[in-house]
Amino acid sequence: MASVSTVILGTGSYAPARILTNAELTKMVDTSDEWIVSRSGIRERHIAAPDEATSDMAVAAARAALADAHLTAADIDLLIVATVTPDMPVPAVSCIIQAKLGLRTNVACFDLNAACSGFVYALDTASAMLTSGRYRRALVIGAEKLSAITDWKDRTTCVLFGDGAGAVVLGVSHEPGVGVIGTQLGAYGDSTDLLCVPKGGSSFPATAESIAAGDHFLKMKGKEVFKIAVRAMEEAARDILEHHHLRADQIELVIPHQANLRIIEAISQYLKVPMERFYVNVDRFGNTSSASIPIALDEARRLGRIKRGDYTLLVAFGAGLTYGSALIRW
Ligand code: COA
């Protein structure tokens, strides 16, 4: 049987115009630029306008990806949106995006929540659906308005997150050895409490008290998350390389989830891949969850950091706690 693989036909991203600097954050909570930069590497982040929803950012990123792929909305028959911040709990934001983009009605549309690993999970899902032969071209979007679930009075979290969206257009290729050549996903479901929005779901529906207590905002045990993140991302990277008989030095570019520069540096050290081969934009975006990898991927492509024949490794980690890696050959 002829080989069929999923290939990236185009990428796009969108960052809201408003930039929130560390200096501004020092006026909102008891923190300092020095603390934020030394602990996380973050210098600024983009924040969506009050009337700008996740779907608006997703649509902008998707339009850029379609233009890059020289395709139109009519060419898409599958839409997967990775997000933890849909416009509203129901319906799926993918349906709102479908309408705003003018996609056909006979397009499969759904959301996927694997938190910061969401884009890698969505890439794997779309790849399986495309290589099944039942779909031809997919739009996979990672989009987040984390500012909407951030407690701006909690200095331990509010300095870390940002808003934005990234998108890819996927198609299939019969050329052997190119495209999404492997993915690996997993989760530590026994650690859900380390990073969560504790109330507002079915186990604790929102009440006036829970809202007053800020329990519908993101809560994180940063130190514990840090340790598991480093281990999980290193393992996810190592395992996928081993599985495909590749050495770390054969990877031209690693695009890690952008949560914290120290996490990225630790992975670089453990994998023995120099930092020059890691794409880093956490300093300008903070952690944008599902959007972080597709934004970084789009920037890296536009900056010429990815050439034909290169191997790129995506590696992610997020609430759940989920993790995932994907290996792409261009
Ligand atoms: N400004 C100044 N001080 C702060 C602060 C801030 N924004 N946030 C916390 N602190 C204080 C703490 O209160 C603590 O003070 P104490 O020692 O008096 O109790 C001190 O700084 C150290 O806090 P700690 O949490 O131990 O810092 P840390 O070195 O672990 O760094 C994180 C904190 C959040 C940056 C780090 O744990 C981290 O990045 N974790 C992973 C987070 C992540 O990536 N999550 C997303 C995964 S997808």
Side-chain angles (χ1 to χ4, degrees), residues 29-32 35-36 39-40 115-117 154-161 195 220-227 229 257-260 262-263 287 289 317-319 321:
V29 286
D30 180 15
T31 190
S32 66
W35 192 97
I36 302 170
R39 305 289 172 124
S40 72
C116 305
S117 310
D154 176 8
R155 69 174 182 171
T156 69
T157 54
C158 76
V159 301
L160 302 173
F161 300 109
L195 180 47
M220 180 170 67
K221 294 183 180 142
K223 254 194 194 332
E224 288 92 326
V225 172
F226 191 103
K227 285 184 212 145
H257 168 49
Q258 310 283 320
N260 183 315
R262 288 189 300 144
I263 294 180
N287 181 347
S289 193
F317 176 83
L321 300 168

Side-chain angles (χ1 to χ4, degrees), residues 6-52:
T6 303
V7 286
I8 294 178
L9 303 172
T11 61
S13 59
Y14 171 80
R18 162 97 168 97
I19 292 175
L20 178 64
T21 63
N22 289 352
E24 285 173 87
L25 277 167
T26 64
K27 298 184 190 118
M28 297 159 63
V29 286
D30 180 15
T31 190
S32 66
D33 178 54
E34 193 282 329
W35 192 97
I36 302 170
V37 173
S38 65
R39 305 289 172 124
S40 72
I42 300 165
R43 294 180 185 277
E44 59 188 35
R45 66 289 290 144
H46 292 259
I47 301 293
D51 61 352
E52 194 172 32

Side-chain angles (χ1 to χ4, degrees), residues 3 7 29 40 47 56 64 101-102 116 124 135 155 171 175 185 189 224 229 232 243 253 255 263 301 305 307 312 320:
S3 73
V7 286
V29 286
S40 72
I47 301 293
D56 298 313
L101 278 175
C116 305
D124 183 54
Y135 299 88
R155 69 174 182 171
E175 192 184 333
L185 308 176
E224 288 92 326
H243 187 79
L253 190 66
I255 302 184
I263 294 180
R301 277 191 70 235
R305 296 272 312 260
K307 300 180 300 299
T312 300

Side-chain angles (χ1 to χ4, degrees), residues 136-264:
R136 289 186 60 237
R137 291 211 180 90
L139 194 49
V140 172
I141 306 174
E144 302 286 6
K145 186 173 176 178
L146 291 180
S147 60
I149 58 165
T150 297
D151 184 349
W152 292 101
K153 295 192 180 92
D154 176 8
R155 69 174 182 171
T156 69
T157 54
C158 76
V159 301
L160 302 173
F161 300 109
D163 300 334
V168 295
V169 177
L170 302 173
V172 290
S173 167
H174 294 279
E175 192 184 333
V178 300
V180 181
I181 57 179
T183 47
Q184 190 187 311
L185 308 176
Y188 300 102
D190 55 354
S191 299
T192 49
D193 62 316
L194 297 184
L195 180 47
C196 63
V197 176
K199 297 195 177 159
S202 63
S203 61
F204 294 105
T207 60
E209 292 75 28
S210 71
I211 289 169
D215 287 338
H216 54 302
F217 292 131
L218 264 177
K219 312 280 178 203
M220 180 170 67
K221 294 183 180 142
K223 254 194 194 332
E224 288 92 326
V225 172
F226 191 103
K227 285 184 212 145
I228 304 176
V230 171
R231 200 183 68 216
M233 284 169 85
E234 185 206 347
E235 278 175 19
R238 226 182 260 292
D239 288 354
I240 201 167
L241 292 178
E242 262 174 39
H243 187 79
H244 292 277
H245 309 291
L246 287 168
R247 297 183 315 275
D249 65 12
Q250 290 176 274
I251 304 300
E252 277 83 7
L253 190 66
V254 182
I255 302 184
H257 168 49
Q258 310 283 320
N260 183 315
L261 183 61
R262 288 189 300 144
I263 294 180
I264 299 173

